[in-house]
Amino acid sequence: MTKAIRIHANGGPEVMQWEDVPTPEPGPGEALVRHAAVGLNYIDVYFRTGLYKAPLPSTIGMEGAGTVLAVGAGVTEVAAGDRVAYAGGPIGAYATERVIAADRLVKVPEGIDFNTAAAMMLQGMTAQYLLRRTHTVKPGETILVHAAAGGVGLILCQWAKHIGATVIGVVSTQAKADLARANGADHVVIGHANLPAEVKRITGGAMVPVSYDSVGKDTFMASIDSLAPLGLMVSYGNASGPVPPVDLGLLSAKGSLFLTRPTLATYTSKRSDLVAVTNDLFDVVAKGVVKIQVNQTFALKDAAAAHIALEARKTTGSTVLIP
Ligand code: NDP
């Protein structure tokens, strides 16, 4: 037997139960991984509440790092004993041990510990594709980053700064503003009530070519109104709730804007993309360009407490759960 957090119904943090489950066996193409650390991500909240659907009962969680215990037939990517990490579906990471398709695993470079690996995969790969593919950020550009002191946010700020962009971060408190500034944000706006006016002031009226908006419902219009003509609205999360349907006429009225709703799954669906994205990420972390900040650690069995902190906007940077 092994241990896992399971949910039998969607709801608040209290639906997460620490239960005995049978140790899974790896089938063809699969690997059995013993987690040393599990990454906490906002998407875990969406699966818990039911905003994103999964069959019940379920073990939620999309990210982990640990050691391969065994592999099934035909596995070539990893072998027993390898230090590995992964991020993305299918859910099932809130467990001491899990089985996962071996072609979703990458080997963790020496010098990156398991906590850092579990913290960085999902948020770091997301920052990578947002900055390098969804929109290719160029030196000298001024970009808008919401939830700038969060997990994805702190990585975006550091990486964009390294590329040579000017970063305007949006946060909810002075303490988070200080943290975002310390991690590369050149300007920080607290709250989004006057965001377009602040962006106008900071950019001398030019506005920004791209807004990375993970907050969703509450900030959608503030992001749209902060864009330059032909700007790109990247709506990549729903921390405040999903964005209601958009009238396409809005995009023409606001200056021939572009709108995308990207997800990591698309950008890493091919093994070659997964390897390229993780190599790029491991490289900036190894060089110290991006420092992964594990600012909260919880026991995996206390995942409910971690969710409460995340939803109450009490966390900064990344959070890991220890089995
Ligand atoms: P964060 O650490 O960024 O935590 C969420 C943050 O959102 C909070 O700290 C808070 O920052 C801000 N926020 C704004 N409004 C609310 C609200 N009403 N309730 C709660 N939080 C709010 O989480 P992650 O780094 O794990 O994820 C960031 C976002 O990116 C999430 O929306 C997630 O779903 C999304 N995401 C999307 C991916 C994709 O591929 N599409 C992949 C990975 C993440 P503040 O207090 O400063 O406002």
Side-chain angles (χ1 to χ4, degrees), residues 40-43 46 52 122-123 126 129 147-153 170-173 176 214-215 218 235-241 261-265 310-317:
L40 176 74
N41 292 286
Y42 219 92
I43 195 169
Y46 308 145
Y52 293 177
L122 203 147
Q123 295 165 351
T126 300
Y129 84 73
V152 178
V170 187
V171 297
S172 63
T173 66
K176 289 185 179 187
S214 61
V215 174
D218 287 359
S235 180
Y236 74 98
N238 344 266
S240 67
R261 188 13 179 130
T263 174
L264 177 64
L310 184 62
E311 288 180 273
R313 304 159 84 157
K314 296 262 166 59
T315 66
T316 58

Side-chain angles (χ1 to χ4, degrees), residues 9-315:
N10 294 122
E14 70 285 351
V15 299
M16 292 188 285
Q17 308 282 333
W18 184 236
E19 295 179 355
D20 288 325
V21 292
T23 304
E25 294 213 356
E30 294 180 336
L32 174 65
V33 177
R34 178 187 292 145
H35 288 140
V38 171
L40 176 74
N41 292 286
Y42 219 92
I43 195 169
D44 305 344
V45 172
Y46 308 145
F47 275 107
R48 194 204 71 221
T49 60
L51 178 65
Y52 293 177
K53 304 293 175 209
L56 297 171
S58 269
T59 293
I60 61 173
M62 294 211 131
E63 177 177 45
T67 307
V68 175
L69 294 181
V71 296
V75 168
T76 54
E77 295 85 358
V78 294
D82 282 349
R83 300 169 73 245
V84 294
Y86 65 90
I91 57 171
Y94 283 21
T96 307
E97 291 162 11
R98 80 168 294 183
V99 154
I100 187 161
D103 69 1
R104 295 285 92 196
L105 295 172
V106 295
K107 292 183 194 171
V108 178
E110 279 184 29
I112 296 183
D113 62 44
F114 281 136
N115 277 15
T116 306
M120 72 192 269
M121 292 292 290
L122 203 147
Q123 295 165 351
M125 285 200 280
T126 300
Q128 197 277 355
Y129 84 73
L130 290 175
L131 296 173
R132 296 214 179 271
R133 282 190 72 189
T134 306
H135 171 83
T136 306
V137 173
K138 292 170 271 306
E141 270 185 343
T142 301
I143 68 168
L144 191 56
V145 173
H146 288 266
V152 178
L154 282 186
I155 302 173
L156 281 175
C157 288
Q158 295 174 77
W159 206 332
K161 183 72 181 171
H162 174 70
I163 291 169
T166 297
V167 178
I168 305 174
V170 187
V171 297
S172 63
T173 66
Q174 185 59 52
K176 289 185 179 187
D178 295 343
L179 185 62
R181 260 202 201 90
N183 284 279
D186 301 271
H187 308 272
V188 184
V189 178
I190 299 179
H192 58 268
N194 298 315
L195 185 60
E198 287 293 303
V199 170
K200 190 171 189 178
R201 181 183 62 76
I202 292 164
T203 60
M207 312 309 276
V208 291
V210 60
S211 177
Y212 293 112
D213 188 334
S214 61
V215 174
K217 181 167 64 69
D218 287 359
T219 50
F220 184 80
M221 279 313 299
S223 278
I224 291 280
D225 285 331
S226 298
L227 289 170
L230 275 66
L232 173 63
M233 169 66 182
V234 184
S235 180
Y236 74 98
N238 344 266
S240 67
V243 177
V246 176
D247 174 0
L248 286 184
L250 178 74
L251 302 180
S252 69
K254 298 285 180 177
S256 304
L257 303 179
F258 294 81
L259 167 64
T260 184
R261 188 13 179 130
T263 174
L264 177 64
T266 316
Y267 285 85
T268 54
S269 62
K270 284 190 254 163
R271 171 86 187 161
S272 55
D273 285 333
L274 175 70
V275 169
V277 170
T278 50
N279 282 347
D280 201 11
L281 174 62
F282 289 148
D283 185 54
V284 289
V285 171
K287 287 180 177 147
V289 165
V290 170
K291 294 187 176 58
I292 303 299
Q293 295 166 53
V294 183
N295 291 348
Q296 300 77 211
T297 303
F298 294 83
L300 178 57
K301 66 179 172 50
D302 299 329
H307 277 221
I308 289 168
L310 184 62
E311 288 180 273
R313 304 159 84 157
K314 296 262 166 59
T315 66

